[in-house]
Amino acid sequence: MAHRKKAAARHNTLPLHAIAWIVGAFILIPVVYALLGGFKSNSELSGNPFGLPETWVTANYTDVLGSGSFWLQLWNSTFIAVITTLLTVGLAALAGFIFARFAFRGREALFTLFTAGLMFPFAVAILPIFVLLRTFGLLGNPLGVILTQAAFGLPLTIIILRGFFRSIPGEIEEAAIIDGCSPFGFFWRILLPMARPAMATVSVLAIVGSWNQFMLPLVVFTEESSWTLPLGIQQFQGQYASDTARILAYLVLAMVPALGFYAIAERHLVGGLTAGATKG
C-alpha cells in the first residue's frame, strides 16, 4: 500500500518536473551558447553557431580579463550595486517597519501610493529622469544612477519587508518594551536579526537589478571611465561590424560575480519571498 502511494505521488509530480526541466532548458541554453561561443572565432561562430568549437579560442576570455577596462567596469558596477542595495534596503527596512508596526492616519493610503510605483514603467520615465538629473547636476555622476535605482527599487522592497515585519508576533515587541527597549532598539536589535531571510531576498533583487541595468547608465554616463559592465559591450562594436565572439566571452565573465552572489544568498531567497505570506 505504501509503495503504491509513493508511486502515485511520484506520478503526480511528473508534470511539475517536466515543466521545471523545460523552464531550466530555456534559461540554460542561452548561457551555454554564450559560453561556447566565447571560445570560437567570429567566422566559426557564423558557420557553426550551435556546435562545439573546432578550435578553442581562449584568447577571447584572456584578452577580456587582461584588459584594464573590464576591471574598471567591474568596479563601477560593484560600487553602484552595493551602494544602491544599502540605500534601498536601509530605507525600505525603516519604511516597512513603520508601515508594519505603527498605526497612524493615512497609513494604508500612503502604502498604496508606494505600491503604485510598481505599475510605473521605467522606460516611460527615462526622459523626465534625464531632465531631473541634468537640473541637479548628476549627469555623469554615479549618484545619478544610484538614487534613481533606489527610488525604483523601494516599492517592491517595502512590500516584501512590510509583510515579513507584520508576521513577527506582537508579544515579542511587548516583551522588548517591558525590558526597556525603545521602538528603534526593537527594530535594530531584534527585528532586523530575525529578518535575515527577507533582507537577503531584497538584497539579491537589488544587486541583480542594478547589475543588469543598461538604459539608465547609458543615459547618465558619457565618459568611458564611468561605464558599467552592461555598457562595456559597446567597446566591441565598430561602425560596420561587431566582435561577436568577444562580446559573448565578455557577457559570460560579467555574469560570474552576480551568479556567485546569488549562489551564496540563494538559500535565503525562497524563505524571504514567502515570509509573511500567511499573516497581514
Side-chain angles (χ1 to χ4, degrees):
M1 181 66 70
H3 178 73
R4 191 174 299 173
K5 288 183 178 180
K6 289 182 180 180
R10 192 180 301 112
H11 178 75
N12 292 333
T13 59
L14 283 177
L16 295 177
H17 290 160
I19 294 173
W21 277 104
I22 292 172
V23 173
F26 273 105
I27 296 173
L28 190 60
I29 287 175
V31 177
V32 174
Y33 173 81
L35 179 64
L36 295 178
F39 285 105
K40 299 177 181 179
S41 63
N42 287 319
S43 58
E44 185 181 356
L45 192 60
S46 300
N48 179 28
F50 300 108
L52 290 174
E54 297 178 3
T55 303
W56 294 78
V57 183
T58 58
N60 291 331
Y61 286 96
T62 56
D63 288 350
V64 171
L65 290 174
S67 65
S69 60
F70 173 79
W71 297 103
L72 178 60
Q73 291 152 15
L74 177 63
W75 160 253
N76 292 337
S77 290
T78 303
F79 174 77
I80 290 174
V82 169
I83 301 302
T84 297
T85 301
L86 291 175
L87 186 61
T88 304
V89 176
L91 292 176
L94 290 170
F97 172 62
I98 293 172
F99 283 128
R101 314 300 294 194
F102 290 88
F104 55 90
R105 182 177 297 178
R107 182 184 68 172
E108 296 306 318
L110 186 59
F111 180 72
T112 302
L113 183 63
F114 273 100
T115 58
L118 293 174
M119 299 180 288
F120 192 70
F122 177 79
V124 174
I126 195 64
L127 181 57
I129 288 173
F130 174 81
V131 175
L132 189 64
L133 294 178
R134 184 180 60 184
T135 302
F136 287 100
L138 292 177
L139 291 180
N141 191 326
L143 275 178
V145 176
I146 292 170
L147 294 176
T148 305
Q149 288 182 159
F152 277 87
L154 279 174
L156 180 60
T157 310
I158 290 174
I159 291 172
I160 294 174
L161 292 181
R162 186 210 192 202
F164 187 89
F165 291 157
R166 292 188 69 178
S167 69
I168 304 299
E171 290 79 4
I172 297 178
E173 184 175 3
E174 293 173 1
I177 293 174
I178 292 174
D179 289 338
C181 195
S182 65
F184 182 78
F186 168 72
F187 166 76
W188 183 258
R189 298 176 185 176
I190 300 175
L191 206 57
L192 282 186
M194 295 179 67
R196 285 179 182 174
M199 300 290 283
T201 297
V202 294
S203 296
V204 169
L205 295 176
I207 285 182
V208 173
S210 174
W211 199 268
N212 294 331
Q213 182 63 252
F214 176 79
M215 183 180 296
L216 182 60
L218 180 65
V219 170
V220 174
F221 297 133
T222 55
E223 299 293 332
E224 186 174 344
S225 60
S226 301
W227 283 0
T228 56
L229 284 172
L231 295 184
I233 296 175
Q234 298 178 100
Q235 63 189 310
F236 304 112
Q237 295 178 330
Q239 184 177 0
Y240 302 106
S242 299
D243 193 345
T244 308
R246 196 156 297 183
I247 288 176
L248 294 177
Y250 183 92
L251 287 173
V252 172
L253 293 173
M255 285 191 298
V256 170
L259 290 176
F261 176 78
Y262 177 82
I264 295 172
E266 181 268 340
R267 64 190 183 94
H268 296 292
L269 188 59
V270 175
L273 284 173
T274 57
T278 60
K279 182 177 179 180

